[in-house]
Amino acid sequence: MTVAQLPNETALPTLDLSRFYGTSEDRQAFVAELRGVLHDHGFFYLQNHGVDPDLIRDVVATAKRFFALPLEEKLKIEMVKSPHFRGYNRAGQERTRGQQDWREQLDINTESSPFEIGPDTPAWRRLQGPNQWPEALPELKPLLLAYQAEVTRIGIDILKAIAVALGQSENVFAEIYQPQPSQLLKIIRYPGRDAAETDQGVGAHKDGGFVTVLLQDTVPGLRVRTEDDLWIDAPPVPGTFVINTGELLELATNGFVRADVHDVVAPPAGVERFSVAFFLGSRPDATIPVIDLPDDLKLAERGVSVDPLNPIFREVGINQLKSRLRSHPDVALAQHADLLTTEQLAAGK
């Protein structure tokens, strides 16, 4: 479906995280602005986040060096080799709503040991395990793990601010992310349209976690769809992250907070786009409760959105497994064929 583009003056808002830890007046003003964004479209730029600019520069530069490695080096850690859905994907290997996404990427998550799987173990426990790291670029592991720790801090700070904006104690979500949240991190390269088969860098989708912390390099492409079916461009802004809310917050607030649809348009021919996306999620064994919002916010609840192609479950582990099986059909078939239906196996997805 073709949708209209919003005029330039309707850019995403910018929020200053330092105000949440400033004076009482600053904190109240920040929380009020955040509350409006959460109900509107859940996307905003974040400044004064406290991440060392040198770390950001090193992550982007080293990510570019990873993607510049010979293909055979990257394929040594191809995701299809990992039952935990960790590792490298060539462009076109991941899918959104069944269509190929034209981006290559490296996925890592919380570094851990594999869960011991028995006949009664929930299938989503298979997602726990070690990451794959490139032998040819050993500096990538400590760098990405350091960055992962920093954006986890930011994500939790934002989650605390969201809790306050919803009239709750700032640790209301802690019981479903402590002691260890999900920490999915992707370094991403989008090739130009001369290499891509379509302009779909990433198809229109919602994120499945609490909040996403997105670092963009210099090339635009991210778009956000409003409730009125209009698109807002979200180009890179130096010194900021783009923050957006995910399905877990929509579930927890009965739709007061919306996990909004967004996509990425592939860059023009001959141009590369780089980004680093971090998805803060709950513990996989948690079940998402419905928060009892204050009466004025409760009146603005919209209910959880319904998409037959993307059902949302309150059982976090089921949601996470559903997403990975659907997005990476090659890994699903190679590593988890027992979880697929006969029809999916026949279709190779």
Side-chain angles (χ1 to χ4, degrees):
M1 179 174 62
T2 301
V3 294
Q5 187 76 31
L6 282 172
N8 291 334
E9 62 266 20
T10 55
L12 295 179
T14 299
L15 299 184
D16 182 339
L17 183 59
S18 67
R19 295 168 66 207
F20 184 62
Y21 295 104
T23 66
S24 175
E25 292 78 9
D26 283 343
R27 182 183 178 96
Q28 290 177 12
F30 176 86
V31 166
E33 291 175 21
L34 178 60
R35 185 182 302 114
V37 172
L38 294 174
H39 188 64
D40 187 8
H41 47 62
F43 271 81
F44 58 95
Y45 292 100
L46 186 73
Q47 64 182 6
N48 291 328
H49 42 70
V51 180
D52 187 342
D54 289 339
L55 176 61
I56 291 174
R57 282 192 292 268
D58 286 349
V59 166
V60 173
T62 310
K64 292 178 180 180
R65 289 170 58 201
F66 170 76
F67 291 119
L69 290 173
L71 179 60
E72 59 267 25
E73 289 295 332
K74 292 181 285 189
L75 291 180
K76 289 179 180 179
I77 56 169
E78 194 171 14
M79 184 184 285
V80 74
K81 300 175 182 179
S82 168
H84 318 297
F85 292 86
R86 318 289 179 91
Y88 169 73
N89 280 296
R90 286 173 284 184
Q93 288 298 105
E94 187 175 16
R95 294 175 181 267
T96 299
R97 302 181 76 85
Q99 302 300 312
Q100 289 177 294
D101 293 327
W102 285 96
R103 60 179 183 175
E104 61 172 327
Q105 58 195 337
L106 175 68
D107 283 36
I108 71 166
N109 208 314
T110 307
E111 191 76 73
S112 58
S113 300
F115 197 89
E116 186 173 342
I117 304 298
D120 298 322
T121 305
W124 48 262
R125 285 292 188 188
R126 305 182 191 191
L127 299 178
Q128 179 178 323
N131 295 305
Q132 296 193 87
W133 299 102
E135 295 178 356
L137 198 63
E139 61 268 36
L140 187 67
K141 178 178 179 179
L143 184 63
L144 289 191
L145 291 180
Y147 181 80
Q148 182 189 54
E150 276 289 87
V151 286
T152 298
R153 172 187 60 79
I154 291 173
I156 290 175
D157 278 353
I158 291 295
L159 200 55
K160 290 178 178 179
I162 289 172
V164 175
L166 297 174
Q168 312 297 311
S169 73
E170 68 174 33
N171 291 313
V172 70
F173 296 109
E175 66 182 46
I176 54 176
Y177 70 74
Q178 289 180 342
Q180 182 60 65
S182 173
Q183 300 170 287
L184 177 59
L185 180 69
K186 295 172 176 274
I187 59 172
I188 306 164
R189 172 187 173 268
Y190 297 86
R193 277 174 237 173
D194 50 333
E197 295 183 9
T198 72
D199 64 356
Q200 178 173 310
V202 176
H205 68 285
K206 297 182 177 185
D207 291 342
F210 281 127
V211 293
T212 301
V213 181
L214 176 67
L215 171 63
Q216 302 187 88
D217 187 24
T218 57
V219 176
L222 176 65
R223 304 186 306 170
V224 180
R225 194 171 73 192
T226 71
E227 291 284 305
D228 298 324
D229 215 20
L230 299 172
W231 289 95
I232 303 173
D233 288 325
V237 175
T240 71
F241 294 110
V242 173
I243 308 294
N244 69 273
T245 49
E247 291 172 339
L248 297 188
L249 288 174
E250 183 170 332
L251 284 169
T253 63
N254 192 31
F256 176 86
V257 177
R258 187 69 93 200
D260 264 8
V261 173
H262 54 287
D263 70 1
V264 174
V265 179
V271 177
E272 300 173 297
R273 179 179 187 270
F274 295 91
S275 66
V276 183
F278 174 72
F279 307 89
L280 179 71
S282 169
R283 290 194 329 270
D285 64 339
T287 298
I288 303 302
V290 179
I291 294 174
D292 187 19
L293 297 179
D295 289 344
D296 58 331
L297 303 187
K298 190 183 294 291
L299 290 172
E301 292 178 359
R302 293 168 289 200
V304 177
S305 56
V306 177
D307 181 349
L309 295 181
N310 180 35
I312 307 175
F313 303 100
R314 292 193 177 275
E315 297 81 7
V316 173
I318 296 175
N319 254 340
Q320 292 177 348
L321 181 62
K322 169 209 70 176
S323 175
R324 302 307 267 173
L325 292 172
R326 184 185 59 195
S327 298
H328 299 282
D330 57 333
V331 183
L333 189 61
Q335 300 284 352
H336 305 289
D338 61 308
L339 301 179
L340 305 180
T341 65
T342 302
E343 291 79 9
Q344 288 171 321
L345 288 170
K349 62 181 182 179

mmCIF file of all heavy atoms in Angstrom, residues 5-6 12 41-43 221-226 230-234 242 244 260-263:
data_model
loop_
_atom_site.group_PDB
_atom_site.id
_atom_site.type_symbol
_atom_site.label_atom_id
_atom_site.label_comp_id
_atom_site.label_asym_id
_atom_site.label_seq_id
_atom_site.Cartn_x
_atom_site.Cartn_y
_atom_site.Cartn_z
ATOM 1 N N GLN A 5 3.705 10.907 2.620
ATOM 2 C CA GLN A 5 4.863 11.322 3.411
ATOM 3 C C GLN A 5 4.506 12.574 4.196
ATOM 4 O O GLN A 5 3.901 13.503 3.666
ATOM 5 C CB GLN A 5 6.046 11.630 2.474
ATOM 6 C CG GLN A 5 7.338 11.906 3.192
ATOM 7 C CD GLN A 5 7.966 10.633 3.709
ATOM 8 O OE1 GLN A 5 7.816 9.585 3.118
ATOM 9 N NE2 GLN A 5 8.661 10.740 4.810
ATOM 10 N N LEU A 6 4.853 12.607 5.480
ATOM 11 C CA LEU A 6 4.581 13.788 6.283
ATOM 12 C C LEU A 6 5.481 14.943 5.860
ATOM 13 O O LEU A 6 6.603 14.739 5.400
ATOM 14 C CB LEU A 6 4.828 13.484 7.764
ATOM 15 C CG LEU A 6 3.724 12.706 8.477
ATOM 16 C CD1 LEU A 6 4.214 12.317 9.862
ATOM 17 C CD2 LEU A 6 2.460 13.519 8.599
ATOM 18 N N LEU A 12 10.767 13.741 14.121
ATOM 19 C CA LEU A 12 10.694 13.112 15.443
ATOM 20 C C LEU A 12 11.231 14.064 16.504
ATOM 21 O O LEU A 12 12.169 14.828 16.262
ATOM 22 C CB LEU A 12 11.519 11.836 15.449
ATOM 23 C CG LEU A 12 11.067 10.686 14.543
ATOM 24 C CD1 LEU A 12 12.034 9.513 14.674
ATOM 25 C CD2 LEU A 12 9.655 10.237 14.877
ATOM 26 N N HIS A 41 3.816 7.877 18.995
ATOM 27 C CA HIS A 41 4.414 6.887 18.085
ATOM 28 C C HIS A 41 5.619 6.167 18.667
ATOM 29 O O HIS A 41 6.162 5.274 18.028
ATOM 30 C CB HIS A 41 4.798 7.524 16.741
ATOM 31 C CG HIS A 41 5.549 8.815 16.869
ATOM 32 N ND1 HIS A 41 6.759 8.906 17.482
ATOM 33 C CD2 HIS A 41 5.233 10.068 16.473
ATOM 34 C CE1 HIS A 41 7.164 10.158 17.446
ATOM 35 N NE2 HIS A 41 6.262 10.888 16.851
ATOM 36 N N GLY A 42 6.059 6.516 19.859
ATOM 37 C CA GLY A 42 7.099 5.746 20.531
ATOM 38 C C GLY A 42 8.497 5.909 19.973
ATOM 39 O O GLY A 42 9.409 5.177 20.363
ATOM 40 N N PHE A 43 8.709 6.861 19.065
ATOM 41 C CA PHE A 43 10.032 7.087 18.470
ATOM 42 C C PHE A 43 10.535 8.470 18.837
ATOM 43 O O PHE A 43 9.783 9.453 18.772
ATOM 44 C CB PHE A 43 9.959 7.008 16.938
ATOM 45 C CG PHE A 43 10.159 5.641 16.375
ATOM 46 C CD1 PHE A 43 9.112 4.729 16.347
ATOM 47 C CD2 PHE A 43 11.383 5.251 15.845
ATOM 48 C CE1 PHE A 43 9.278 3.469 15.814
ATOM 49 C CE2 PHE A 43 11.560 3.993 15.310
ATOM 50 C CZ PHE A 43 10.513 3.090 15.291
ATOM 51 N N GLY A 221 17.579 6.478 5.769
ATOM 52 C CA GLY A 221 16.837 5.318 5.274
ATOM 53 C C GLY A 221 15.738 4.872 6.215
ATOM 54 O O GLY A 221 14.752 4.262 5.786
ATOM 55 N N LEU A 222 15.891 5.155 7.522
ATOM 56 C CA LEU A 222 14.883 4.762 8.499
ATOM 57 C C LEU A 222 13.622 5.607 8.346
ATOM 58 O O LEU A 222 13.699 6.825 8.193
ATOM 59 C CB LEU A 222 15.434 4.930 9.919
ATOM 60 C CG LEU A 222 14.464 4.655 11.082
ATOM 61 C CD1 LEU A 222 14.037 3.197 11.118
ATOM 62 C CD2 LEU A 222 15.107 5.061 12.413
ATOM 63 N N ARG A 223 12.458 4.931 8.395
ATOM 64 C CA ARG A 223 11.175 5.617 8.358
ATOM 65 C C ARG A 223 10.254 5.044 9.441
ATOM 66 O O ARG A 223 10.338 3.856 9.758
ATOM 67 C CB ARG A 223 10.477 5.449 7.001
ATOM 68 C CG ARG A 223 11.283 5.884 5.792
ATOM 69 C CD ARG A 223 10.448 5.819 4.531
ATOM 70 N NE ARG A 223 9.853 4.487 4.344
ATOM 71 C CZ ARG A 223 8.920 4.199 3.419
ATOM 72 N NH1 ARG A 223 8.470 5.166 2.637
ATOM 73 N NH2 ARG A 223 8.454 2.971 3.292
ATOM 74 N N VAL A 224 9.383 5.886 9.965
ATOM 75 C CA VAL A 224 8.441 5.498 11.017
ATOM 76 C C VAL A 224 7.027 5.755 10.508
ATOM 77 O O VAL A 224 6.753 6.831 9.967
ATOM 78 C CB VAL A 224 8.685 6.314 12.304
ATOM 79 C CG1 VAL A 224 7.708 5.895 13.392
ATOM 80 C CG2 VAL A 224 10.129 6.175 12.767
ATOM 81 N N ARG A 225 6.122 4.780 10.699
ATOM 82 C CA ARG A 225 4.742 4.953 10.261
ATOM 83 C C ARG A 225 3.855 5.352 11.440
ATOM 84 O O ARG A 225 3.875 4.703 12.485
ATOM 85 C CB ARG A 225 4.207 3.667 9.626
ATOM 86 C CG ARG A 225 2.902 3.883 8.852
ATOM 87 C CD ARG A 225 2.517 2.663 8.063
ATOM 88 N NE ARG A 225 2.016 1.600 8.940
ATOM 89 C CZ ARG A 225 1.824 0.346 8.546
ATOM 90 N NH1 ARG A 225 2.136 -0.015 7.318
ATOM 91 N NH2 ARG A 225 1.355 -0.550 9.385
ATOM 92 N N THR A 226 3.077 6.386 11.266
ATOM 93 C CA THR A 226 2.204 6.870 12.325
ATOM 94 C C THR A 226 0.894 6.087 12.338
ATOM 95 O O THR A 226 0.598 5.290 11.445
ATOM 96 C CB THR A 226 1.872 8.361 12.132
ATOM 97 O OG1 THR A 226 0.997 8.491 10.997
ATOM 98 C CG2 THR A 226 3.135 9.181 11.894
ATOM 99 N N LEU A 230 0.887 7.519 7.903
ATOM 100 C CA LEU A 230 1.828 8.429 7.264
ATOM 101 C C LEU A 230 3.235 8.068 7.719
ATOM 102 O O LEU A 230 3.436 7.539 8.810
ATOM 103 C CB LEU A 230 1.517 9.884 7.631
ATOM 104 C CG LEU A 230 0.139 10.398 7.204
ATOM 105 C CD1 LEU A 230 -0.112 11.776 7.807
ATOM 106 C CD2 LEU A 230 0.038 10.462 5.685
ATOM 107 N N TRP A 231 4.218 8.369 6.889
ATOM 108 C CA TRP A 231 5.606 8.021 7.189
ATOM 109 C C TRP A 231 6.401 9.252 7.603
ATOM 110 O O TRP A 231 6.285 10.317 6.987
ATOM 111 C CB TRP A 231 6.275 7.380 5.977
ATOM 112 C CG TRP A 231 5.778 6.004 5.682
ATOM 113 C CD1 TRP A 231 4.794 5.666 4.802
ATOM 114 C CD2 TRP A 231 6.242 4.777 6.254
ATOM 115 N NE1 TRP A 231 4.605 4.299 4.803
ATOM 116 C CE2 TRP A 231 5.482 3.724 5.681
ATOM 117 C CE3 TRP A 231 7.218 4.462 7.201
ATOM 118 C CZ2 TRP A 231 5.671 2.382 6.017
ATOM 119 C CZ3 TRP A 231 7.414 3.134 7.537
ATOM 120 C CH2 TRP A 231 6.642 2.113 6.947
ATOM 121 N N ILE A 232 7.230 9.089 8.639
ATOM 122 C CA ILE A 232 8.159 10.118 9.094
ATOM 123 C C ILE A 232 9.576 9.622 8.812
ATOM 124 O O ILE A 232 9.953 8.526 9.229
ATOM 125 C CB ILE A 232 8.021 10.378 10.610
ATOM 126 C CG1 ILE A 232 6.601 10.783 10.981
ATOM 127 C CG2 ILE A 232 9.011 11.450 11.065
ATOM 128 C CD1 ILE A 232 6.394 10.878 12.496
ATOM 129 N N ASP A 233 10.371 10.423 8.126
ATOM 130 C CA ASP A 233 11.781 10.094 7.950
ATOM 131 C C ASP A 233 12.526 10.332 9.254
ATOM 132 O O ASP A 233 12.248 11.289 9.980
ATOM 133 C CB ASP A 233 12.404 10.957 6.853
ATOM 134 C CG ASP A 233 11.938 10.567 5.459
ATOM 135 O OD1 ASP A 233 11.723 9.362 5.226
ATOM 136 O OD2 ASP A 233 11.776 11.462 4.621
ATOM 137 N N ALA A 234 13.478 9.451 9.557
ATOM 138 C CA ALA A 234 14.295 9.593 10.771
ATOM 139 C C ALA A 234 15.769 9.528 10.367
ATOM 140 O O ALA A 234 16.453 8.536 10.609
ATOM 141 C CB ALA A 234 13.960 8.500 11.774
ATOM 142 N N VAL A 242 18.457 6.857 18.047
ATOM 143 C CA VAL A 242 17.013 6.790 17.872
ATOM 144 C C VAL A 242 16.497 5.723 18.832
ATOM 145 O O VAL A 242 16.997 4.600 18.851
ATOM 146 C CB VAL A 242 16.619 6.448 16.421
ATOM 147 C CG1 VAL A 242 15.102 6.228 16.320
ATOM 148 C CG2 VAL A 242 17.056 7.552 15.475
ATOM 149 N N ASN A 244 13.090 3.597 20.177
ATOM 150 C CA ASN A 244 11.684 3.279 19.925
ATOM 151 C C ASN A 244 11.208 2.165 20.849
ATOM 152 O O ASN A 244 11.999 1.374 21.362
ATOM 153 C CB ASN A 244 11.436 2.918 18.459
ATOM 154 C CG ASN A 244 12.054 1.611 18.028
ATOM 155 O OD1 ASN A 244 13.217 1.576 17.632
ATOM 156 N ND2 ASN A 244 11.292 0.532 18.079
ATOM 157 N N ASP A 260 5.344 0.913 17.258
ATOM 158 C CA ASP A 260 4.962 1.361 15.927
ATOM 159 C C ASP A 260 5.781 0.697 14.823
ATOM 160 O O ASP A 260 6.930 0.295 15.005
ATOM 161 C CB ASP A 260 5.087 2.880 15.824
ATOM 162 C CG ASP A 260 3.750 3.560 16.082
ATOM 163 O OD1 ASP A 260 2.799 2.863 16.476
ATOM 164 O OD2 ASP A 260 3.646 4.773 15.888
ATOM 165 N N VAL A 261 5.155 0.645 13.671
ATOM 166 C CA VAL A 261 5.755 0.050 12.479
ATOM 167 C C VAL A 261 6.835 0.988 11.934
ATOM 168 O O VAL A 261 6.669 2.210 11.900
ATOM 169 C CB VAL A 261 4.669 -0.192 11.420
ATOM 170 C CG1 VAL A 261 5.285 -0.658 10.096
ATOM 171 C CG2 VAL A 261 3.649 -1.220 11.924
ATOM 172 N N HIS A 262 7.935 0.400 11.501
ATOM 173 C CA HIS A 262 8.996 1.162 10.854
ATOM 174 C C HIS A 262 9.691 0.275 9.828
ATOM 175 O O HIS A 262 9.516 -0.947 9.823
ATOM 176 C CB HIS A 262 10.000 1.699 11.879
ATOM 177 C CG HIS A 262 10.572 0.648 12.783
ATOM 178 N ND1 HIS A 262 9.852 0.054 13.798
ATOM 179 C CD2 HIS A 262 11.804 0.074 12.834
ATOM 180 C CE1 HIS A 262 10.600 -0.830 14.426
ATOM 181 N NE2 HIS A 262 11.796 -0.837 13.858
ATOM 182 N N ASP A 263 10.459 0.890 8.943
ATOM 183 C CA ASP A 263 11.213 0.130 7.957
ATOM 184 C C ASP A 263 12.491 0.883 7.618
ATOM 185 O O ASP A 263 12.760 1.969 8.151
ATOM 186 C CB ASP A 263 10.368 -0.162 6.703
ATOM 187 C CG ASP A 263 10.077 1.085 5.847
ATOM 188 O OD1 ASP A 263 10.545 2.202 6.188
ATOM 189 O OD2 ASP A 263 9.375 0.953 4.826
#
